Amino acid sequence: MSAQHPRIVCQFSCGAASAVATKLALAKYSATHDVQIINAFLANEHEDNRRFLLDCQEWFGQKIVQLRDEKYGADIIQVFLRERFMKGRTGAPCTKLLKRRQLDTWKQPGDIMVFGYTAEEVDRLEDFRERNPNRPVIAPLIDAGLGKDDCKAMVERAGIELPLMYRLGYDNANCIGCVKGGEGYFRAIREDFQEQFEELCRVQDELGPGAYLHRNRKTNIRFSLRDLPLGEPRRNEALPACSFFCEIAEADYQLSTGDIPPDRS
Ligand code: SF4
């Protein structure tokens, strides 16, 4: 490791892509740079994410620094209730307050961020670089041409069981009931995780229509999770992973779906 090199900071989000991105970054840079691995603890992720984190920590051969919000108890429900909204034009308050804020207090000038963007997400990387020309980032998965399925296979080949959420068929290991999810995703959560689903319904009961996440595509009227229509659950609905830069990824996602309410920022 060399003092004159900037730190390389891997954002481990308990997803397969960030695990492989971290492994590749360690292989490439750990002999020459100070490589750090950080993770934000979230109370609303499935508890199996912590098992996955520990398994990956062993695979990396390096400790993962776990950052934990104190103000909201690292709990998205507390964020929604206290901030009085669940998702806005510029992203979700949970990722900003529970992840981004932790990163902001921890980071140092000159840090190079490692993104877990996969080969399918080249556009997202380019967009990020365009919007943030002074923020150096590297994306080892894109450099290596690795897609999301490649990452899952690589993790399994390393003898690590994927997070339970993946094994249940979900596309990611985000919080249970991630506010970035569409209708199909929430129908799956309603089936699989009634308690967490009900908790989110109660938040919307309290906050009212401004907190509704979905809208009827014909009438353009928003509806609450309690009124989520029957239909096919979609566990594998593609959601951006919730990284420390989640809200930027979400802005991209927002452009491609009609699910995001437009009135809060
Ligand atoms: S995974 Fe979803 S619900 Fe959890 S912090 Fe990120 S955006 Fe919020």
Side-chain angles (χ1 to χ4, degrees), residues 42 76 92 94-95 174-175 178-180 242 246:
L42 286 187
I76 62 169
C94 39
T95 187
N174 288 5
C175 296
C178 173
V179 292
K180 292 184 291 182
C242 185
C246 185

Side-chain angles (χ1 to χ4, degrees), residues 207-264:
L207 300 184
Y212 295 172
L213 299 171
H214 307 108
R215 63 174 69 237
N216 182 307
R217 285 182 171 78
K218 284 190 190 134
T219 63
N220 212 28
I221 294 173
R222 293 184 213 194
F223 58 85
S224 69
L225 286 171
R226 279 202 196 286
D227 294 329
L228 183 66
L230 294 173
E232 276 296 301
R234 271 203 298 146
R235 286 174 186 77
N236 64 351
E237 184 181 294
L239 268 64
C242 185
S243 74
F244 284 97
F245 291 107
C246 185
E247 72 272 23
I248 293 163
E250 181 175 321
D252 300 339
Y253 175 74
Q254 195 167 346
L255 295 174
S256 62
T257 75
D259 281 342
I260 315 287
D263 66 335
R264 284 295 303 259

Side-chain angles (χ1 to χ4, degrees), residues 88-105:
R89 266 200 190 120
T90 59
C94 39
T95 187
K96 279 186 193 158
L97 296 171
L98 304 183
K99 290 196 168 182
R100 184 68 182 272
R101 188 173 277 179
Q102 304 305 306
L103 175 66
D104 285 346
T105 54

Side-chain angles (χ1 to χ4, degrees), residues 23-40:
K23 186 72 179 167
L24 292 176
L26 283 167
K28 187 163 180 184
Y29 297 105
S30 62
T32 53
H33 290 69
D34 175 8
V35 181
Q36 296 280 326
I37 313 167
I38 55 171
N39 167 262

